[in-house]
Amino acid sequence: MNATDLRPWRDPSQKPLLQIKSVTKKFSDFVAVDDVSLDIYAGELFCLLGGSGCGKSTLLRMLAGFEEATEGQILLDGEDLSGVAPHERPTNMMFQSYALFPHMSVLKNVMYGLVHGGMTKAEAETTAMEMLKLVKLEKFIKRKPHQLSGGQRQRVALARALVKKPRLLLLDEPLGALDKKLREETQFELIRIQETLGVTFVVVTHDQEEAMTLASRIGVMNDGYIEQIGEPREIYEFPKSKFVANFIGDVNLFEGEMIVDEPDRAAVLNDSVGEIAITHGVSGTLGQELTIAVRPEKLEISKKKSAKMLNSAKGVVEDIAYLGSQSVYHVRLDSGKLVKAFRANRVREAEDDLTWEDRVVVGWDGSSGVVLSQ
């Protein structure tokens, strides 16, 4: 890792702040978290991403001390947190509901933990005001929570969680109560605050776009275990399983048998496309069943086959959605398979305008597909 690379997980000599070692959590016969191991480094904004019931919130609650692991260890800065009460851990948790005191002003909400921790009122007020300035709420200190917008309440909760300067801040669906536009704006505000303070954040979310925007790295969870850990681009461009490919964004999947396996190229025989060419070597053996994952933005669509389409298939435009910056085309291939293609709307009137029921060709080059074996 060079001197300007701020990604400690790429440097074997760096020690993680948080170590989750073979952690399992069982509720009677139900396994909520299944043998999870994960390292998180100081200053990271790490996202645990997954659908409902995948175990991400249970794992977060174990980090906070609200649940005890059935098996395994959780170490923070080398210290085993087993048996350490939530209020004695150098962590804090921000809940989805924000859990603000409705009868207290913004300032008193943020001061509360400091005063009860032994700080004088004067010191607590000064410290709280510094944090409220950071979240840009210094003009609202006398208001009660019901007099604030959803985004302002979210920032009060964040200020209250951060004011005691925890080593680790745990956030459970922190933007879930906000509307789409405000959520997108607040994502960048959250990144700014995290970078300013340098506190390590662990965020639980089910929203793929939110995780991709916020995270330094993402852990994709499924059925209690982690399917893949990586930087957002790595997770999106190089998914390691069909689950991850499907869960992160949109994808077209083409399954088939490997019929060419050479050091610099491979091919898979698929019912819809025929022979799918891959312009690099892959891990596998002849006759093995593989899946080729192609993102919709990498799938070219036109009325005639272009030179870029090393792999192609013909079909009919079945549905179109105009989304402003791009249009989404659902194409029913002659084989019956439905695929999705994105097309950027770079000009107001496209010369090669496609419409419903048009016969088209969809295709991609030999490097755009990702080969999945699981």
Side-chain angles (χ1 to χ4, degrees):
M1 187 174 77
N2 60 48
T4 59
D5 195 335
L6 302 177
R7 294 168 289 193
W9 52 89
R10 293 189 172 192
D11 184 352
S13 69
Q14 294 291 314
K15 292 184 179 179
L17 172 70
L18 177 68
Q19 294 173 284
I20 299 169
K21 295 185 173 184
S22 302
V23 165
T24 295
K25 177 63 180 178
K26 295 179 181 178
F27 295 98
S28 188
D29 293 333
F30 175 69
V31 181
V33 175
D34 189 2
D35 194 26
V36 166
S37 293
L38 170 65
D39 289 340
I40 296 175
Y41 294 81
E44 267 206 89
L45 202 164
F46 191 97
C47 279
L48 289 168
L49 173 66
S52 299
C54 71
K56 59 189 187 297
S57 291
T58 301
L59 182 55
L60 199 74
R61 289 177 62 81
M62 285 192 283
L63 299 181
F66 300 134
E67 301 283 356
E68 280 291 330
T70 308
E71 298 171 17
Q73 276 187 312
I74 298 173
L75 305 177
L76 185 64
D77 237 354
E79 179 188 350
D80 192 340
L81 295 181
S82 300
V84 180
H87 66 276
E88 294 177 346
R89 299 184 179 205
T91 64
N92 211 339
M93 188 161 178
M94 179 177 157
F95 297 94
Q96 185 176 1
S97 63
Y98 306 148
L100 299 175
F101 298 116
H103 62 288
M104 290 186 184
S105 68
V106 166
L107 180 59
K108 287 185 177 178
N109 259 286
V110 178
M111 287 173 57
Y112 181 83
L114 297 174
V115 172
H116 280 259
M119 194 178 281
T120 66
K121 275 194 174 182
E123 290 174 323
E125 184 171 331
T126 300
T127 305
M129 281 301 301
E130 289 174 359
M131 189 58 64
L132 286 166
K133 285 177 184 176
L134 181 66
V135 298
K136 300 178 181 177
L137 285 177
E138 65 271 24
K139 295 179 182 178
F140 301 91
I141 59 172
K142 294 182 180 180
R143 292 194 186 181
K144 302 284 179 65
H146 73 273
Q147 297 172 309
L148 302 174
S149 69
Q152 289 167 338
R153 286 196 295 272
Q154 188 264 354
R155 283 185 280 153
V156 174
L158 183 62
R160 189 178 65 179
L162 285 169
V163 75
K164 293 185 76 173
K165 298 179 181 177
R167 297 294 313 279
L168 188 67
L169 183 64
L170 310 170
L171 302 97
D172 190 4
E173 301 280 3
L175 310 181
L178 307 181
D179 63 60
K180 180 175 172 58
K181 188 171 179 61
L182 183 56
R183 188 164 67 244
E184 290 172 351
E185 292 172 358
T186 309
Q187 286 168 6
F188 291 101
E189 190 69 10
L190 198 62
I191 293 168
R192 179 188 67 82
I193 292 166
Q194 190 268 341
E195 289 179 344
T196 300
L197 295 175
V199 175
T200 305
F201 281 19
V202 179
V203 179
V204 156
T205 182
H206 67 278
D207 188 309
Q208 299 95 325
E209 287 187 19
E210 185 170 295
M212 296 287 283
T213 302
L214 289 175
S216 53
R217 287 188 302 152
I218 298 169
V220 183
M221 291 196 70
N222 177 33
D223 286 339
Y225 63 94
I226 295 184
E227 288 262 354
Q228 186 173 349
I229 299 168
E231 296 168 28
R233 184 179 182 278
E234 179 185 356
I235 293 280
Y236 185 82
E237 297 288 357
F238 304 102
K240 290 184 177 178
S241 68
K242 284 191 279 188
F243 175 84
V244 174
N246 263 314
F247 195 80
I248 304 290
D250 292 295
V251 71
N252 300 296
L253 299 175
F254 301 90
E255 297 175 345
E257 178 186 330
M258 187 188 291
I259 57 173
V260 176
D261 180 19
E262 296 183 3
D264 59 348
R265 71 184 187 95
V268 169
L269 188 60
N270 171 263
D271 292 341
S272 298
V273 183
E275 185 176 319
I276 299 176
I278 305 156
T279 54
H280 56 78
V282 302
S283 297
T285 57
L286 286 175
Q288 183 179 350
E289 291 293 319
L290 296 174
T291 300
I292 311 300
V294 186
R295 297 291 184 188
E297 68 273 14
K298 293 177 170 61
L299 200 67
E300 187 181 349
I301 177 172
S302 62
K303 291 180 178 178
K304 294 181 180 179
K305 183 177 179 178
S306 76
K308 294 180 182 177
M309 294 181 184
L310 185 57
N311 305 295
S312 65
K314 294 179 180 179
V316 175
V317 177
E318 196 169 274
D319 280 308
I320 304 173
Y322 177 77
L323 303 180
S325 62
Q326 67 181 9
S327 292
V328 181
Y329 295 86
H330 288 186
V331 177
R332 182 71 63 180
L333 300 183
D334 291 347
S335 66
K337 182 179 178 64
L338 187 67
V339 299
K340 184 183 287 188
F342 295 164
R343 204 185 205 197
N345 296 319
R346 295 187 179 90
V347 293
R348 286 185 179 175
E349 304 251 347
E351 292 180 11
D352 181 22
D353 219 9
L354 300 176
T355 189
W356 288 264
E357 304 301 326
D358 274 355
R359 288 285 298 172
V360 294
V361 180
V362 294
W364 66 95
D365 63 31
S367 63
S368 292
V370 177
V371 181
L372 307 174
S373 59
Q374 53 180 308

